Amino acid sequence: MKNICSAILLLVCLMACTTKTPPIVENPPFIGWSSRSLELAKIERTDSATILYIQAFYRPHNWIAIAKESYLEDNTGKRYPLRSADGIEPGEHFYMPESGETEFKLFFEPVPAPVTSVSFTEGDHIEGAFEIWGINLTGKLPALTLPKEAKTHKINKESDLPESLLQHGTAIITGRIIEYIPEMASEISIWVNNPVEDYPEEYKPEIDEKGNFRLEVPGFSPMHVRAYVMQKSIQFYIVPRETTSVAIVPCEIVRSQSRLHKNDPSTYEAVYFDGYLASLNQELNTSGFSSGSYIDTDRMMEDLYGKNMEEACDYLIATYEKVFHAIDEMEASRGLKRVLKAQVSLELSNAIFNIRSLLNRAYISGHELSGEEARNYYEHHSYSYPENYLQVLNNYPVLFTNDILYTENLNEFLAYTAKGPFQEEFKQLLQENSANELIDLSRLSVVVECMDRFQMISQEELEAFSPFYQSVIRDKQTHIERLWNLLKRAPVLM
C-alpha cells in the first residue's frame, strides 16, 4: 500500500511538472534593441503559439513594416518563425496614424517552457531591421557579473582637474559591453575631438566575441570623446600616455530609453569607468547636464527677431547666465564644474561669433521666408558689428585657460583666429589674456589644415614652433606622407 501511494504521488508530481500553462509576462525586460520604435508590452506562450504584443511609436503618416522572414531565436540557437500577425500585415507598409502610435500582435511558433530567453529579429540580411535581443521570459533579468573595472566613483566635491595634461603620445581606450550578444554590433562608433583637426575623427574598433574592444588614439592634449551604443551617447575624456577603461551595460541603456521601463528601478549604471580621469568621466555621464535643457532654440529665434547686434549680444549673455547659475548649483566636483563652464563658455562665444547668422535666421523665421527668398536674404543682408565687439569675452576668463582643452568642438573656436571678420581682433584678445597655449594651438590648427590638403610645412615655419609642437607637426607630416604614398600606389579607375 505504501508503494502504491508513493507511485501515485510521483505520478502527480510528474503531471504537475509537465502541465503547460499559458505563461504571460507583462513588459518583459530585455538586453538590447536596434530601435526605440518598437516596444514589447507583453509576451504570451501557449501550446499553439508565442505571441508578442507590440507597441509601435513612429512619425505620423510615415510607414513601418515587419518582414515576413521575422523569427524568434532562443538561447540555444533554435529559431521560431513568424506565422501570422494581427493589426499589421507582414511584408506590407503600415502607415502610422496621426498619434504616431499603434499596437499589433505577432504570432510565432510556440517556444517551449524550459526556454528562458529569446531574441526577436526581422531576418539576417534586412537593412535597418527591427531587433530586440535577450527578451527574458521569467520577467526578471539575471544579476549581471560586472568586471573588476566596473567601479562606481563617489562624488568628491573637492576633486579638481590635473594641472597640465599636454603630453605627446597615444591614448588607450579599453572597453567591454556587458552581456554582449554578437548580433548587437560588430563594432562601436567612437568620435574623438582633436583640438586642431577640422572635424571629430570617427573610429570603429572591432568587438570580439566576449564584447571586448581596444582603441589607440594619437594626441597631445586631453580629448573629448563621444561613443554611440544603441542610440545612446557616452561622453568621456582621454589623455595621451594614459588608459581609460569603459564598461557598457546595454540593459540599463535600454531601460532608461524605454517608454515602458524608464520608471523601473535602476540596478546598474549605463556605463562604468576605470583608469585615468575615471571619476570625472563617471560624473560627466551621471550628472545628466546639458545646456540644451536650459536654452529653447525656438524661443531664442522668436526673442532675437527685431533685435540689433548689441541687443542680440546682451540677450545671449543673459540666456547663458542661467546655464552658468545651474552649474554653480549642481552637486558636483570642482573639476566637473570647470569643464562644464568651459564648454558653456565655448558655446556662448560661438553664438557671439555667429550672431549675424542667428539674426538672419530669426528674421527669416519671423517673416516666414523660404526657398530663394530666404537664401537671398541670408546671403546679402549684413549687420554692423559694434567697435571692440569681442571685448565681452573678457567676462569669461575660462576661455583663455587650459580648461578649454576639455571642450567639444574646440577647433571651431580656434578657427576664428585664422579666418572670418574677427581674425585680428580675436588674436589680439588672446594676446591680452596671455593665452599662449591657445595662440600656439590656433597657429597649429592652420598648419594642420594645410597639411590635410597635402601642403607641407617648410623648415623655417616648423622652427617657429616650440619643440613640443614641432614633434606634433612631424608626426602629422609622417601620417600625411604615408597617406600620400598609399594614394599614389592606388589603382586609377577609368
Side-chain angles (χ1 to χ4, degrees):
M1 183 69 180
K2 183 178 180 180
N3 289 338
I4 294 175
C5 290
S6 297
I8 292 173
L9 181 61
L10 177 61
L11 181 61
V12 170
C13 290
L14 288 172
M15 290 176 64
C17 291
T18 57
T19 298
K20 296 180 180 179
T21 58
I24 296 176
V25 180
E26 302 278 354
N27 299 335
F30 55 97
I31 293 175
W33 56 8
S34 64
S35 170
R36 305 182 196 183
S37 296
L38 297 190
E39 292 265 14
L40 184 53
K42 181 168 67 174
I43 189 165
E44 179 180 358
R45 285 187 291 173
T46 71
D47 292 341
S48 59
T50 295
I51 310 164
L52 268 57
Y53 293 74
I54 302 292
Q55 291 182 7
F57 304 86
Y58 203 59
R59 293 187 297 272
H61 312 301
N62 283 258
W63 62 266
I64 61 171
I66 297 295
K68 294 179 180 179
E69 299 82 5
S70 299
Y71 60 86
L72 300 178
E73 183 172 335
D74 68 21
N75 45 308
T76 69
K78 184 178 179 180
R79 295 182 176 183
Y80 307 85
L82 177 66
R83 286 179 171 175
S84 62
D86 181 15
I88 194 169
E89 184 65 35
E92 302 290 335
H93 290 177
F94 177 91
Y95 286 86
M96 296 296 288
E98 182 65 34
S99 65
E101 301 180 17
T102 193
E103 298 180 357
F104 54 86
K105 292 184 284 188
L106 302 177
F107 295 80
F108 298 85
E109 288 187 0
V111 176
V115 174
T116 57
S117 71
V118 295
S119 294
F120 162 75
T121 178
E122 287 192 273
D124 297 331
H125 305 291
I126 296 179
E127 186 176 354
F130 289 126
E131 297 186 85
I132 304 176
W133 299 290
I135 303 166
N136 193 280
L137 302 179
T138 68
K140 184 178 180 181
L141 291 174
L144 299 181
T145 302
L146 298 176
K148 62 180 181 179
E149 62 268 21
K151 301 175 182 177
T152 300
H153 304 275
K154 293 183 179 180
I155 295 175
N156 177 2
K157 292 184 178 181
E158 301 305 313
S159 178
D160 213 335
L161 299 178
E163 282 300 317
S164 176
L165 293 177
L166 285 176
Q167 49 191 15
H168 195 200
T170 299
I172 297 174
I173 303 171
T174 62
R176 182 176 177 186
I177 300 177
I178 309 300
E179 297 294 308
Y180 176 69
I181 296 176
E183 290 78 12
M184 284 184 185
S186 59
E187 58 188 21
I188 183 173
S189 180
I190 297 178
W191 293 84
V192 179
N193 284 272
N194 185 314
V196 296
E197 297 287 354
D198 277 348
Y199 304 100
E201 185 170 1
E202 183 181 18
Y203 295 84
K204 290 189 174 182
E206 291 187 359
I207 305 172
D208 69 19
E209 68 280 358
K210 294 183 179 180
N212 300 309
F213 59 90
R214 176 185 171 90
L215 178 63
E216 297 184 3
V217 181
F220 60 88
S221 72
M223 291 174 281
H224 178 277
V225 176
R226 278 190 186 271
Y228 291 92
V229 182
M230 294 182 185
Q231 304 98 52
K232 179 177 176 62
S233 169
I234 297 170
Q235 299 184 70
F236 55 98
Y237 301 105
I238 58 175
V239 175
R241 303 183 193 175
E242 301 290 352
T243 298
T244 299
S245 296
V246 186
I248 300 168
V249 184
C251 65
E252 175 55 26
I253 290 176
V254 298
R255 184 208 63 78
S256 64
Q257 294 172 339
S258 169
R259 293 172 175 86
L260 302 182
H261 292 280
K262 62 184 178 181
N263 293 324
D264 293 349
S266 174
T267 306
Y268 307 99
E269 300 289 351
V271 59
Y272 295 89
F273 292 93
D274 197 15
Y276 204 68
L277 298 179
S279 181
L280 177 65
N281 287 331
Q282 186 82 57
E283 198 178 0
L284 179 66
N285 283 271
T286 57
S287 69
F289 177 85
S290 169
S291 60
S293 301
Y294 303 91
I295 299 174
D296 185 336
T297 52
D298 292 334
R299 174 66 183 273
M300 180 182 289
M301 290 298 102
E302 294 176 8
D303 292 344
L304 287 176
Y305 176 64
K307 285 182 168 52
N308 61 32
M309 192 75 71
E310 291 187 27
E311 291 170 340
C313 187
D314 290 342
Y315 171 83
L316 289 174
I317 290 170
T319 299
Y320 276 88
E321 280 301 322
K322 300 173 186 176
V323 187
F324 289 118
H325 178 72
I327 295 173
D328 285 332
E329 296 298 310
M330 288 176 63
E331 292 290 321
S333 68
R334 185 181 293 117
L336 180 64
K337 289 185 177 183
R338 282 175 62 179
V339 298
L340 292 180
K341 285 185 176 181
Q343 182 64 48
V344 174
S345 297
L346 185 75
E347 293 173 9
L348 171 58
S349 68
N350 283 338
I352 290 173
F353 283 128
N354 289 288
I355 202 162
R356 174 180 177 269
S357 176
L358 291 173
L359 287 172
N360 281 341
R361 284 170 53 195
Y363 183 92
I364 289 169
S365 175
H367 284 267
E368 298 182 349
L369 303 183
S370 61
E372 190 66 27
E373 194 176 17
R375 282 191 295 273
N376 284 335
Y377 182 86
Y378 195 93
E379 292 173 3
H380 301 299
H381 189 79
S382 63
Y383 293 86
S384 297
Y385 292 100
E387 189 176 355
N388 299 321
Y389 175 65
L390 293 188
Q391 289 300 311
V392 67
L393 296 183
N394 283 319
N395 296 324
Y396 305 94
V398 68
L399 289 171
F400 310 107
T401 70
N402 282 358
D403 288 6
I404 205 75
L405 294 172
Y406 289 87
T407 58
E408 191 173 16
N409 301 324
L410 174 59
N411 56 313
E412 295 180 9
F413 182 72
L414 296 175
Y416 292 110
T417 63
K419 54 191 174 183
F422 308 112
Q423 182 176 344
E424 294 305 319
E425 187 179 354
F426 190 38
K427 284 182 180 179
Q428 183 180 347
L429 193 64
L430 292 178
Q431 292 170 351
E432 290 173 355
N433 284 276
S434 300
N436 298 324
E437 207 67 65
L438 292 184
I439 292 171
D440 287 341
L441 283 175
S442 64
R443 292 170 55 224
L444 181 60
S445 67
V446 175
V447 170
V448 168
E449 185 178 5
C450 292
M451 294 172 72
D452 284 336
R453 297 197 299 266
F454 300 103
Q455 298 172 7
M456 295 298 105
I457 186 174
S458 69
Q459 185 64 27
E460 183 180 357
E461 290 172 316
L462 179 64
E463 291 174 355
F465 286 89
S466 67
F468 177 81
Y469 285 115
Q470 286 184 32
S471 67
V472 173
I473 293 170
R474 287 193 185 98
D475 272 12
K476 177 70 176 181
Q477 206 157 8
T478 300
H479 171 74
I480 294 295
E481 287 170 354
R482 286 174 183 163
L483 180 60
W484 178 243
N485 289 330
L486 286 173
L487 289 173
K488 286 195 296 187
R489 292 198 299 267
V492 178
L493 300 177
M494 302 299 291

